[in-house]
C-alpha cells in the first residue's frame, strides 16, 4: 500500500514506540502534522517555543532511558532548536529531531524559511541526514534512532523537505540497521580489564570517579556492587550524581569546581583513579598541570575512545559499554580480591578531610538557598526528580539534595544552558506521570523559557518551581565579587515581574516566601494541598549567598576557597 512521506514519518515513530513528540508546527511540516492528526498512538505536545521542544524531549530521555523526539518546521523553527540540540550533544543524550525543510527544488535559493539545517547543526549533532528521496525516509529514520541510542548516545537530526512528505511510497520499516562505518565497541578488552584489577589490588589511596556515562548506560547498580566489594571512596561529577547513593558512607560528594573538600583532596592525592564514564573535564580537575603534579595510575572505562587520554594521561584504557566492563571486573573480583591494608589509613585521612564540613553554612535573617534545598530534600523524602537551570541555584541543588537514585538529577552539565529547567520538568513529568518534580531555578534562568507555564497549563503538568530569587545573576555576581573587585557589571536584574501574579495569570498557584520559618510549610503545602497544581514558589533569598567550596578558574583542584576562608 502506498502512503505519503508524512504518513511514513508517523508510521516510523509508531514502530519505534514513541509516546510523545514535542514540537511546534509550521509551513514545511504541515503534511506531517496532518498525518499526526489522523492517528492517536503518537501524542504531540505543543510547546510555546521550539527551544523548549528540544529541552523537553531531552529531559524525557534523561529520565526514562528512551529516545526523546522533537518536530519543528524549517528556518527559524530549526535555528530555535540549536541550543537544545547542542545541550543534548554535550551531555550525550539520545534524541531524534525531525526538521522540516523547504521543497527540494527550492533548496539553495534563499526560499522563505530556508536555512542550511545540515550545515548549521553539523558541529552539535552525533549525526544528521537530509532526506532527498521518499524511498529512503523510513530507513533514514531507523538509522537515526539506532545512532542516537547506541555507542555514546547523542542527538540526530533528520531534515525532511516538504515535497518528500507529500510523495507516495510503499512503507517498509527495516528490522535492523547495518552501517559498515558505525560499529560501537561494547565489550572491553579482557587483557586490559585484568590489568585494571591488578592495579586496583595494589592501590593504597584509591578513588572511584564516575560521571554521566554511568547514568546513561544504566550501570548504577553494578557500580554500587563494585564499590561495596572494593570498599573504595566514590565521587560523582555533576552529571554523575545519583550514580552512587549520596547518603552512603563511601560517597565523598561531588568533586570539581564546587566539589567537597574531601572529594577534591581524595581525587588529587589518590594513587589509583578508577574513572568510569567520565571525562576529566575542566570543571572537574581544574588546572591539568597542577593535577598532573601527583604521581598516580589511571584506569579509564568509557564507551567513547576519543574521551580517553584527552586531558589526562591514562595508564589502562578500557573501551566498552560501562555495565559490560563492570560485569567483567566483578567476575574477576569474585575469583579473589584483597584490598591493600593501607587503604584503611586512606579512609582515616578522608574522614579527617570530611570533618572540615565544607558545605557548612549559617542560616541568618534572610532565607539561605542551601536551606531551601535541604528542606526540599526532606519534604520530598529525597525521592523527587530535580531539574535545574544554570547558575548558583544549580550548584546548591547539586550540593544539598542527596541523590540516591540515577536519572533523578536533570540538568545541563556540559553546555550550561540557562532556561532548561521548566521544559526539563515538562519532559520528566510526561515520562514519569505522577512523580514529584521540582525545578530549582533563579529569577534570571526561569525567564528564559517562562512561556512554557502555558504549556504546563494545557497539559496539566504540576511542576513545582523553586525560584531562588536574589535579584541578581547570582553566579556572575559571585565571580564579580571575588575576581573583579565587586564591579557588578550588568548582573543586577531589575524590573522583575511579580512572579505570584504571573503564575496566577497563567492559571497556576503562586507563593512568595520571605522568612526562613515559612520555607518548609510552603514546600509541604505545594507537595500536598497543591499536589496536582503547578506551584511557583518565589523564595526571596540572601542576595549575598555564595557557592562554596570554589576552585577558581586556572587553579588546581586542592586550591579551594572555603566559606570559612573569607
Amino acid at each position: 500500500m502506498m502512503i505519503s512521506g508524512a504518513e511514513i514519518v508517523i508510521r516510523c515513530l509508531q514502530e519505534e514506540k514513541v509516546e510523545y513528540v514535542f514540537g511546534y508546527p509550521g509551513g514545511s511540516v504541515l503534511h506531517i502534522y496532518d498525518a499526526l492528526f489522523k492517528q492517536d498512538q503518537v501524542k504531540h505536545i505543543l510547546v510555546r517555543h521550539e527551544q523548549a521542544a528540544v529541552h523537553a524531549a531531552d529531559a524525557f530521555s534523561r529520565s526514562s532511558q528512551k529516545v526523546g523526539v522533537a518536530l519543528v518546521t524549517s528556518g527559524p523553527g530549526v535555528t530555535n532548536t540549536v541550543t537544545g540540540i547542542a545541550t543534548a550533544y554535550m551531555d550525550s543524550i539520545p534524541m531524534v529531531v525531525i526538521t522540516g525543510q523547504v521543497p527540494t527544488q527550492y533548496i539553495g535559493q534563499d526560499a522563505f524559511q530556508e536555512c542550511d539545517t545540515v550545515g548549521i547543526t553539523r558541529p552539535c549533532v552525533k549525526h544528521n541526514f537530509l532526506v532527498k528521496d521518499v524511498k529512503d525516509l523510513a530507513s533514514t529514520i531507523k538509522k537515526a534512532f539506532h545512532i542516537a541510542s547506541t555507542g555514546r548516545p547523542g542527538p540526530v537530526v533528520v531534515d525532511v523537505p516538504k515535497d518528500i512528505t507529500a510523495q507516495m511510497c510503499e512503507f517498509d520499516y527495516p528490522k535492523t540497521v547495518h552501517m559498515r562505518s558505525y560499529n560501537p565497541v561494547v565489550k572491553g578488552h579482557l587483557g586490559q580489564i585484568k590489568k585494571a584489577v591488578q592495579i586496583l589490588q595494589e592501590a593504597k589511596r584509591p578513588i572511584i570517579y564516575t560521571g554521566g556515562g554511568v547514568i546513561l548506560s544504566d550501570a548504577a547498580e553494578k557500580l554500587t556492587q563494585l564499590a561495596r566489594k572494593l570498599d573504595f571512596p566514590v565521587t560523582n561529577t555533576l552529571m554523575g550524581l545519583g550514580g552512587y547513593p549520596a547518603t552512603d558512607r563511601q560517597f565523598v560528594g561531588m568533586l570539581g569546581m564546587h566539589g567537597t573538600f574531601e572529594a577534591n583532596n581524595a581525587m588529587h592525592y589518590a594513587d589509583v583513579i578508577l574513572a568510569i564514564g567520565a571525562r576529566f573535564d575542566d570543571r572537574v580537575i581544574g588546572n591539568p598541570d597542577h593535577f598532573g603534579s601527583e604521581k598516580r595510575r589511571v584506569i579509564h572505562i568509557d564507551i567513547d575512545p576519543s574521551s580517553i587520554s584527552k586531558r589526562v594521561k591514562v595508564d589502562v584504557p578500557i573501551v566498552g559499554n560501562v555495565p559490560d566492563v563492570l560485569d567483567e571486573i566483578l567476575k574477576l573480583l569474585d575469583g579473589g580480591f584483597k584490598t591493600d591494608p593501607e587503604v584503611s589509613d586512606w579512609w582515616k585521612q578522608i574522614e579527617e578531610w570530611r570533618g572540615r564540613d565544607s558545605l557548612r553554612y549559617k542560616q541568618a535573617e534572610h532565607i539561605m538557598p542551601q536551606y531551601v534545598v535541604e528542606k526540599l530534600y526532606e519534604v520530598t523524602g529525597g525521592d523527587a526528580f530535580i531539574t535545574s537551570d544554570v547558575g548558583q541555584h544549580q550548584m546548591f541543588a547539586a550540593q544539598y539534595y542527596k541523590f540516591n537514585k540515577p536519572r533523578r538529577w536533570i540538568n545541563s552539565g556540559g553546555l550550561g544552558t540557562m532556561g532548561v529547567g521548566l521544559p526539563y520538568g515538562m519532559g520528566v513529568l510526561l515520562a514519569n506521570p505522577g512523580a514529584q518534580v521540582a525545578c530549582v531555578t533563579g529569577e534570571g534562568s526561569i525567564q528564559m523559557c517562562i512561556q512554557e507555564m502555558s504549556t504546563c497549563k494545557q497539559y496539566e503538568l504540576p511542576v513545582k518551581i523553586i525560584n531562588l530569587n536574589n535579584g541578581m545573576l547570582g553566579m556572575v555576581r559571585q565571580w564579580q565579587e571575588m575576581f573583579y573587585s565587586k564591579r557588578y557589571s550588568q548582573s543586577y536584574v531589575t524590573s522583575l515581574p511579580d512572579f505570584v501574579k504571573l503564575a496566577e495569570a497563567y492559571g497556576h498557584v503562586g507563593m512568595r516566601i520571605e522568612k526562613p520559618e515559612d520555607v518548609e510549610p510552603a514546600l509541604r503545602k505545594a507537595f500536598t494541598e497543591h499536589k496536582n497544581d503547578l506551584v511557583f514558589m518565589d523564595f526571596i533569598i540572601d542576595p549575598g549567598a555564595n557557592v562554596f567550596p570554589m576552585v577558581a578558574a586556572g587553579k588546581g583542584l586542592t586550591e579551594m576557597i572555603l566559606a570559612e576562608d573569607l
Side-chain angles (χ1 to χ4, degrees):
M1 177 184 172
M2 303 282 277
I3 62 175
S4 70
E7 290 167 323
I8 288 173
V9 171
I10 302 306
R11 288 286 300 275
C12 291
L13 299 182
Q14 291 172 345
E15 291 287 334
E16 292 291 338
K17 311 294 184 198
V18 172
E19 298 170 76
Y20 293 103
V21 172
F22 300 87
Y24 204 99
S28 294
V29 286
L30 282 179
H31 294 322
I32 299 176
Y33 271 85
D34 193 47
L36 257 176
F37 186 83
K38 295 173 183 172
Q39 55 85 59
D40 56 12
Q41 186 175 332
V42 179
K43 300 175 185 66
H44 182 271
I45 302 297
L46 178 65
V47 296
R48 302 304 185 259
H49 191 288
E50 289 91 347
Q51 181 179 345
V54 186
H55 289 327
D58 173 341
F60 185 91
S61 177
R62 290 182 197 241
S63 64
S64 71
Q65 303 176 241
K66 298 172 185 172
V67 177
V69 180
L71 170 63
V72 298
T73 193
S74 60
V78 170
T79 55
N80 283 342
T81 66
V82 171
T83 298
I85 293 171
T87 302
Y89 178 71
M90 287 291 282
D91 290 344
S92 307
I93 305 304
M95 192 163 65
V96 171
V97 182
I98 298 170
T99 57
Q101 182 55 278
V102 299
T104 309
Q105 65 270 29
Y106 295 158
I107 292 177
Q109 296 186 11
D110 295 334
F112 177 67
Q113 291 194 331
E114 181 191 359
C115 73
D116 178 6
T117 301
V118 168
I120 288 170
T121 61
R122 183 174 288 125
C124 60
V125 291
K126 184 172 178 185
H127 199 65
N128 58 16
F129 298 95
L130 169 62
V131 181
K132 296 178 180 173
D133 189 325
V134 68
K135 293 193 286 295
D136 297 333
L137 188 52
S139 61
T140 301
I141 293 177
K142 180 71 179 179
K143 286 177 184 173
F145 276 88
H146 177 68
I147 293 170
S149 59
T150 54
R152 180 175 181 169
V156 177
V157 167
V158 182
D159 197 29
V160 188
K162 186 171 184 179
D163 57 313
I164 300 293
T165 63
Q167 292 169 10
M168 305 296 284
C169 180
E170 290 280 350
F171 177 65
D172 180 19
Y173 200 61
K175 300 283 185 209
T176 58
V177 174
H178 174 70
M179 284 178 282
R180 193 175 60 180
S181 59
Y182 179 70
N183 292 294
V185 173
V186 175
K187 294 285 183 186
H189 189 281
L190 189 55
Q192 293 292 88
I193 293 172
K194 286 179 178 175
K195 274 189 204 173
V197 171
Q198 181 61 39
I199 290 173
L200 292 173
Q201 191 146 279
E202 295 165 0
K204 295 174 173 50
R205 302 187 310 280
I207 190 162
I208 302 172
Y209 149 62
T210 79
V214 169
I215 308 285
L216 293 171
S217 63
D218 293 310
E221 195 177 324
K222 290 195 186 302
L223 169 66
T224 304
Q225 287 177 36
L226 177 67
R228 298 262 165 82
K229 275 182 185 290
L230 295 171
D231 193 30
F232 290 174
V234 182
T235 182
N236 292 158
T237 65
L238 179 69
M239 292 304 298
L241 292 174
Y244 188 81
T247 54
D248 189 88
R249 177 192 68 88
Q250 286 176 243
F251 187 64
V252 295
M254 182 176 75
L255 82 167
M257 179 172 277
H258 295 294
T260 65
F261 189 72
E262 55 270 33
N264 284 353
N265 275 300
M267 182 73 172
H268 186 78
Y269 293 111
D271 70 337
V272 171
I273 294 175
L274 174 58
I276 308 173
R279 55 192 177 93
F280 294 92
D281 70 84
D282 56 309
R283 291 292 173 113
V284 165
I285 62 165
N287 184 330
D289 292 334
H290 179 271
F291 188 70
S293 63
E294 286 292 318
K295 189 177 177 184
R296 63 173 74 87
R297 288 182 288 181
V298 177
I299 303 159
H300 193 169
I301 304 166
D302 205 287
I303 190 75
D304 181 4
S306 73
S307 286
I308 297 178
S309 286
K310 192 173 188 176
R311 301 193 75 241
V312 168
K313 181 180 171 296
V314 170
D315 299 278
V316 182
I318 303 173
V319 178
N321 191 34
V322 169
D324 292 277
V325 175
L326 295 188
D327 228 12
E328 292 296 330
I329 293 177
L330 284 165
K331 283 178 192 170
L332 291 173
L333 294 183
D334 285 341
F337 181 86
K338 197 171 178 184
T339 304
D340 191 288
E342 289 190 36
V343 173
S344 60
D345 294 332
W346 177 233
W347 268 115
K348 287 176 188 169
Q349 173 63 73
I350 289 171
E351 293 304 332
E352 189 180 321
W353 286 326
R354 184 150 32 198
R356 292 285 295 269
D357 192 10
S358 58
L359 297 181
R360 189 174 64 248
Y361 68 94
K362 289 179 184 173
Q363 175 59 67
E365 181 186 352
H366 296 290
I367 297 173
M368 295 300 286
Q370 300 95 322
Y371 179 73
V372 177
V373 177
E374 285 188 326
K375 288 299 169 189
L376 176 65
Y377 173 78
E378 288 176 24
V379 167
T380 58
D383 202 34
F385 288 84
I386 305 296
T387 74
S388 89
D389 277 301
V390 170
Q392 283 185 319
H393 58 270
Q394 178 191 25
M395 293 300 122
F396 290 132
Q399 290 176 326
Y400 293 89
Y401 198 98
K402 301 177 184 68
F403 294 95
N404 281 331
K405 296 177 183 174
R407 297 187 183 275
R408 294 302 175 105
W409 170 232
I410 313 293
N411 84 124
S412 168
L415 196 65
T417 306
M418 293 172 70
V420 296
L422 182 54
Y424 272 2
M426 291 158 39
V428 170
L429 266 170
L430 286 162
N432 305 272
Q436 297 181 110
V437 178
C439 166
V440 178
T441 185
E443 78 289 341
S445 284
I446 191 64
Q447 293 189 85
M448 288 197 173
C449 274
I450 201 164
Q451 75 285 345
E452 298 308 320
M453 285 207 289
S454 175
T455 310
C456 289
K457 185 64 182 175
Q458 181 170 344
Y459 298 97
E460 299 179 344
L461 301 174
V463 181
K464 304 297 182 280
I465 299 173
I466 314 294
N467 188 42
L468 300 178
N469 185 348
N470 58 6
M472 298 174 177
L473 302 177
M475 191 59 88
V476 176
R477 195 270 304 146
Q478 177 171 339
W479 280 60
Q480 289 173 337
E481 176 187 325
M482 298 173 71
F483 310 117
Y484 294 88
S485 303
K486 299 186 179 180
R487 293 187 295 278
Y488 298 120
S489 177
Q490 303 301 314
S491 52
Y492 280 90
V493 180
T494 59
S495 304
L496 288 172
D498 182 329
F499 288 111
V500 173
K501 287 182 179 174
L502 187 60
E504 290 170 351
Y506 276 110
H508 302 301
V509 176
M511 300 180 188
R512 181 179 169 93
I513 303 98
E514 300 181 74
K515 297 176 183 174
E517 60 268 28
D518 294 335
V519 170
E520 185 173 343
L523 288 167
R524 292 202 180 279
K525 190 174 182 181
F527 282 97
T528 54
E529 187 178 326
H530 295 296
K531 180 183 174 186
N532 297 321
D533 299 319
L534 183 151
V535 182
F536 193 114
M537 283 165 276
D538 191 22
F539 291 96
I540 309 304
I541 63 167
D542 184 340
N546 285 333
V547 183
F548 293 111
M550 180 174 185
V551 178
K555 294 292 184 181
L557 196 52
T558 57
E559 299 173 309
M560 287 168 274
I561 304 169
L562 303 180
E564 66 199 46
D565 295 334
L566 299 177

